[in-house]
Amino acid sequence: AKLTLTLTIGHIVVLDGAYGTSYIYIMEDADKNIVIYKGNSNVVGWTPEGTVRSKGDTFTITATVKDHGVRNGVKQTVIQRPKIISQLETA
């Protein structure tokens, strides 16, 4: 299923592995649903202006749902293949 999501970054986990650095983005939507993206997508990692995204940044993407899960009692959605729609101003 493809979703359109407006997400705010809550936390970025940096993983250094044998194949280089990868990232886990822990984000939430306006309803406080947790959305996880693991990967190196420029869409998630960088603004259209070419600056690195950080905690608190909000943006809108389309993405494919990879999995629905529960972690520590909190429902979360894992997404893949994010594509940018628009850049919203961050507070």
Side-chain angles (χ1 to χ4, degrees):
K2 216 170 198 22
L3 297 178
T4 298
L5 302 162
T6 298
L7 301 171
T8 301
I9 296 176
H11 196 65
I12 301 170
V13 179
V14 180
L15 301 172
D16 287 310
Y19 301 102
T21 303
S22 64
Y23 300 88
I24 300 173
Y25 294 88
I26 302 167
M27 303 170 282
E28 63 181 35
D29 66 12
D31 297 323
K32 304 291 184 202
N33 296 308
I34 302 297
V35 177
I36 308 292
Y37 170 69
K38 182 178 180 181
N40 295 321
S41 167
N42 289 341
V43 167
V44 176
W46 297 81
T47 68
E49 296 77 41
T51 57
V52 175
R53 290 197 201 276
S54 57
K55 183 175 175 168
D57 282 7
T58 298
F59 53 96
T60 300
I61 58 172
T62 60
T64 305
V65 174
K66 182 178 180 185
D67 193 25
H68 288 286
V70 177
R71 183 166 177 169
N72 300 333
V74 178
K75 286 190 289 188
Q76 60 184 34
T77 301
V78 180
I79 59 167
Q80 59 187 8
R81 290 194 283 283
K83 304 269 188 288
I84 199 75
I85 293 188
S86 67
Q87 177 72 20
L88 300 178
E89 288 303 310
T90 54

